[in-house]
Amino acid sequence: MKKITLDKFVEKRLKENKKKFTKEEWEIIKDYPQMVKKIYLLGFINAKECYEKRK
């Protein structure tokens, strides 16, 4: 099983979706990577909880 770090996972997801961000948004992402990781995790956790509640 391939081991992937949170940093690399979020970085990959951001690069895959770069077209969805404006130039200004992309600059913020680059300037505040720790904040972006936290927001990404919060979204992931919330989505997981919502999905589990539907079962």
Side-chain angles (χ1 to χ4, degrees):
M1 182 176 189
K2 184 178 177 181
K3 185 177 179 180
I4 187 165
T5 65
L6 176 61
D7 292 343
K8 293 294 181 187
F9 180 76
V10 173
E11 183 180 317
K12 181 179 176 184
R13 296 293 296 151
L14 287 170
K15 286 181 181 179
E16 288 173 355
N17 293 287
K18 187 173 182 175
K19 292 180 181 178
K20 295 179 180 175
F21 299 103
T22 66
K23 183 178 178 181
E24 292 81 15
E25 290 168 337
W26 194 250
E27 289 301 316
I28 292 169
I29 289 168
K30 288 176 19 183
D31 290 342
Y32 300 98
Q34 289 301 109
M35 178 187 68
V36 172
K37 288 176 205 156
K38 289 177 184 179
I39 293 170
Y40 186 90
L41 282 175
L42 287 172
F44 178 80
I45 291 167
N46 287 340
K48 183 177 179 285
E49 288 174 355
C50 288
Y51 178 75
E52 288 174 348
K53 287 179 184 177
R54 289 186 180 182
K55 287 184 175 181

